[in-house]
Every structure is written in C-alpha cells, then in structure tokens.
C-alpha cells in the first residue's frame, strides 16, 4: 500500500507529502513518543493525536513513512513548519484513530 | 584511534531544539555510510537520552566518538541525579510532570529503549550532582 492510496482512503488533508508512491509496510497507533519510537517499524504509517514538534523528531528518528494526525487535530505551527523543512509525509483526518485504521 | 569526535550542548527544557544533537549524529552516520539499521538504533537511543537531559536534568552535554566499528555516546548532566537507577530502568516508571506528558513524554520507556537499542549502557548518578549515561553501539556483527 502506498502513501497515495492511504490519503485517498481517508480523504485526508495534506500537511506535507514528499513521496506519494512510498510503500507502507506496517502501522502503529499511539501517543506516547517512547512507545512509538520502539514499536513503530521503519516504513510504517503512524496514527496519533499528538500535534507538537516532537512528532517530527520521532517520525525522523524511527524512519516512519507517514504520520496521520487523527480526530481533526491540527499540527501546531512549529510542527507544520518542521515537517516541510525535513521533507516528512504528514496528513490530517477528522476520523478517530479506530475509524481511520478501519478504512485502510 | 578516533575517527570522529563530536560534542553538543543540550539545552534544558527547550522542546524546539530537543533532539537536534541526535539528529546531527544520525545525519553524520548516514553520511559515513553506516548501515541504516545501526543508524536507527543509535538515533533512537541517543534521542531518548538527550530528551531525558532536556526534561529531567535541565540540559547537559553530549560527547560522541565514532569509530569504524562502533559509536560511543556519553551524556553528562548536572541535574538532580537518579536516586534509584534500578527503579528508573523499569518499563513504565516515570516522574515526568503533567506538562511534559501533554507533549507525549512520560511513558517511562526511555531508559528501557536505550538499553534495548544499544550493546552496552551504563548509568552513573549521584543525587544532587548529576547523571552520566554511557552507551555503545557496535556496527560490526
Ligand atoms: N538524566 C536524568 N536525570 C534525572 N533523572 C532522570 C534522568 N533520566 C531519567 N531520569 C529519571 O528516570 C525516569 C525514567 O526515565 P525514562 O526515560 O525511562 O522515562 P521518562 O523520561 O519519564 O518517559 P519517556 O522516556 O517514556 O518519555 C524519569 O522519569 C526520571 O525520573
Ligand atoms: Mg525519557
């Protein structure tokens, strides 16, 4: 499954997308960053409601392919800027974490 | 013989700059052509240690030595120290305040992650004086 197809399935809003054709091979849901770091595999899609700049740090470190911020939460200004600056893939959906995962 | 020696000042309680030292080390290892699996381990372990200095110790210093076959990371702070290291190492143990939890920290998984992703990790801590964490990741199999 590609980033593209996830965006479509969720009808999500794009914060930044660098490589729409990147292949997603795993997934993780959670908000505690230390759990995400150790449990989200590389090339995964990460569902969260966290919206501060540490999300970008964790996404980079763990080589997470795509972050989906759920429940209509907007990334704060620092996070949005950092995601663009680092060329990370991030989208926002109004769906809850459970509903979002079900659609994929 | 040291191939590369790096030093970073880590600012306390600053979540904008938090993680920049580990980020820099990750970039350097990538540039040196280190296997991505090792780069990921190092980045995770160092990030957790760096964040701990930011949150729990009012900042500190990171000293990194990269050798052809391994990396040695020393994180030194002059924070409050850790009274019971064994307890602090337990999965889920955290003294992180609510304000920090709201940012996504405080799962109590940082130190366990550091242990999991390194080949050796040593904590020396004196209450009222500070903490020094030394981590080694071997690149060779
Ligand atoms: N450098 C440090 N100085 C003082 N205390 C520390 C330091 N590092 C860790 N601790 C103590 O050890 C506890 C456990 O650390 P650990 O990194 O495992 O969890 P955490 O930082 O609370 O949460 P998480 O890392 O999951 O976001 C901390 O809550 C804190 O009490
Ligand atoms: Mg921690």
């Amino acid at each position: 499954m590609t980033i593209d197809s996830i965006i479509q399935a969720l009808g999500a809003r794009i914060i930044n997308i660098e490589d729409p054709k990147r292949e997603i091979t795993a997934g993780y849901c959670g908000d505690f960053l230390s759990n995400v770091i150790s449990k989200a595999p590389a090339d995964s899609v990460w569902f969260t409601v966290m919206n501060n700049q540490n999300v970008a740090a964790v996404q980079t470190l763990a080589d997470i392919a795509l972050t989906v911020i759920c429940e209509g939460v907007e990334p704060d200004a620092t996070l949005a800027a950092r995601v663009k600056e680092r060329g990370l893939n991030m989208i926002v959906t109004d769906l809850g974490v459970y509903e979002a995962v079900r659609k994929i | 013989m040291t191939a590369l020696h790096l030093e970073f000042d880590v600012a306390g309680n600053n979540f904008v700059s938090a993680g920049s030292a580990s980020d820099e080390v990750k970039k350097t290892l990538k540039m040196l052509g280190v296997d991505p699996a090792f780069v990921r381990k190092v980045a995770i372990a160092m990030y957790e240690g760096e964040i701990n200095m930011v949150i729990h110790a009012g900042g500190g210093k990171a000293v990194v030595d990269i050798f052809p076959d391994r990396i040695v990371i020393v994180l030194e702070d002059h924070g409050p120290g850790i009274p019971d290291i064994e307890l602090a190492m337990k999965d889920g143990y955290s003294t992180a305040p609510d304000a920090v939890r709201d940012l996504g920290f405080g799962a109590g998984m940082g130190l366990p992650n550091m242990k999991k992703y390194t080949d050796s990790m040593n904590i020396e801590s004196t209450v009222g004086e500070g903490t020094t964490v030394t981590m080694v990741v071997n690149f060779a199999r």
Side-chain angles (χ1 to χ4, degrees):
Chain A
M1 164 179 291
T2 60
I3 287 180
D4 246 359
S5 62
I6 292 178
I7 296 172
Q8 249 183 15
L10 298 178
R13 208 163 60 69
I14 292 171
I15 303 301
N16 194 58
I17 292 295
E18 296 283 323
D19 31 11
K21 296 294 173 214
R22 182 161 170 188
E23 208 40 59
I24 305 280
T25 53
Y28 184 79
C29 304
D31 302 318
F32 267 128
L33 301 176
S34 288
N35 288 337
V36 179
I37 284 176
S38 73
K39 293 187 176 136
D43 301 314
S44 59
V45 52
W46 170 28
F47 297 87
T48 185
V49 297
M50 279 290 154
N51 68 337
N52 62 71
Q53 66 251 346
N54 303 301
V55 168
V58 167
Q59 184 174 355
T60 308
L61 289 172
D63 292 326
I64 291 168
L66 172 69
T67 298
V68 183
I69 304 186
C70 300
E71 295 180 14
V73 175
E74 287 295 318
D76 70 19
T78 323
L79 175 59
R82 196 157 280 198
V83 158
K84 286 173 189 151
E85 177 190 303
R86 294 189 176 195
L88 301 173
N89 301 302
M90 178 176 287
I91 56 177
V92 171
T93 175
D94 289 332
L95 298 171
V97 172
Y98 176 72
E99 285 76 20
V101 171
R102 271 193 60 173
K103 289 218 169 198
I104 290 180
Chain B
M1 196 184 68
T2 301
L4 200 51
H5 177 84
L6 303 168
E7 292 192 12
F8 306 90
D9 280 323
V10 176
N13 306 307
N14 181 337
F15 293 99
V16 178
S17 63
S20 55
S22 2
D23 214 45
E24 207 51 51
V25 169
K26 184 180 186 186
K27 277 187 204 148
T28 305
L29 292 179
K30 256 190 180 165
M31 218 173 59
L32 291 171
V34 174
D35 182 322
F38 293 120
V39 177
R40 191 166 185 270
K41 282 169 66 171
V42 170
I44 290 172
M46 183 164 167
Y47 177 75
E48 292 284 14
E50 187 182 351
I51 290 290
N52 277 353
M53 292 200 298
V54 173
I55 293 178
H56 305 296
K61 198 173 135 185
V63 178
V64 177
D65 283 293
I66 302 170
F67 301 91
D69 63 338
R70 71 189 190 283
I71 182 168
V72 180
I73 301 165
V74 179
L75 303 171
E76 190 188 339
D77 69 59
H78 299 287
I82 305 175
D84 185 340
I85 293 174
E86 205 181 316
L87 179 63
M89 285 297 304
K90 286 216 164 88
D91 284 13
Y93 178 83
S94 174
T95 61
D98 284 347
V100 165
R101 274 168 203 272
D102 289 345
L103 295 172
F105 301 110
M109 289 306 294
L111 291 174
N113 278 352
M114 287 153 73
K115 181 148 186 77
K116 176 175 161 193
Y117 286 100
T118 55
D119 293 300
S120 90
M121 168 175 150
N122 178 52
I123 305 177
E124 270 170 43
S125 193
T126 308
V127 173
E129 282 181 25
T131 303
T132 301
V133 180
T134 305
M135 298 184 284
V136 180
V137 173
N138 297 318
F139 301 142
R141 274 162 298 148

